[in-house]
Amino acid sequence: MASTTSASQNSHRPDPLTLEVVELIGEVVARFHEDYEAAASEHALTGAQARLLSMLCLEPLPMRRLAQRLKCEPSNVTGIVDRLEARGLVERQPDPADRRVKVAVATREGRRVARSLRESLRFAREPLAGLSEGERVALRDALRGMLG
């Protein structure tokens, strides 16, 4: 009976390779965040401002949705949008689907800054550039597979 319990406990434990992959993913994420924060500061942005601006380059979003994606309070998002708006990087517009709701939209200058920020990420240039195109494709496909 002890062997059945031991076997079922072992089946729930990750194998050493999985543990190493998880550890490596954590290190990659930490390096990416460090590089992202540095790139943001080069553009006189906080990390949160840079992330919000990047999100708005994909689509206009209401404050509540921005807060959900940034995992913070809507009042914090209001302050971030206020500061970006003061710099001419973001503007508020009525939501076409519901004119009572305001959405934040990246301006042309905001999109330019976000593009420059992405291009300045050393993490994307250095470690990934060291991989062949086939390795980058395999990595991309593996990451897509992990995310479903």
Side-chain angles (χ1 to χ4, degrees):
M1 184 133 192
S3 64
T4 305
T5 304
S6 178
S8 69
Q9 286 175 344
N10 286 338
S11 69
H12 294 297
R13 289 187 184 149
D15 62 273
L17 176 59
T18 298
L19 290 174
E20 182 181 6
V21 169
V22 168
E23 187 70 28
L24 290 168
I25 289 171
E27 192 171 327
V28 166
V29 168
R31 285 188 188 182
F32 175 80
H33 281 294
E34 186 178 294
D35 192 30
Y36 196 84
E37 293 288 331
S41 70
E42 290 172 11
H43 291 82
L45 297 170
T46 65
Q49 289 171 337
R51 284 188 296 281
L52 187 143
L53 186 58
S54 293
M55 284 182 220
L56 294 179
C57 286
L58 299 174
E59 64 179 325
L61 292 167
M63 301 296 188
R64 187 169 305 283
R65 182 100 37 82
L66 284 167
Q68 290 168 342
R69 290 190 182 174
L70 288 172
K71 296 176 180 32
C72 67
E73 293 297 318
S75 61
N76 291 345
V77 169
T78 299
I80 295 169
V81 170
D82 287 345
R83 287 184 287 283
L84 291 173
E85 192 171 36
R87 290 185 53 189
L89 303 176
V90 167
E91 62 186 23
R92 290 176 172 93
Q93 297 177 353
D95 185 341
D98 183 350
R99 302 205 44 89
R100 296 169 296 171
V101 175
K102 295 280 187 189
V103 294
V105 179
T107 63
R108 175 178 285 150
E109 177 64 7
R111 289 188 300 275
R112 186 196 66 73
V113 168
R115 185 175 43 256
S116 175
L117 189 148
R118 277 191 313 274
E119 290 170 355
S120 71
L121 289 173
R122 288 179 302 278
F123 188 81
R125 285 195 317 263
E126 294 166 6
L128 289 175
L131 300 176
S132 70
E133 182 176 354
E135 289 169 325
R136 289 194 311 271
V137 167
L139 178 58
R140 180 203 61 201
D141 293 347
L143 292 170
R144 283 181 177 170
M146 288 179 66
L147 295 173

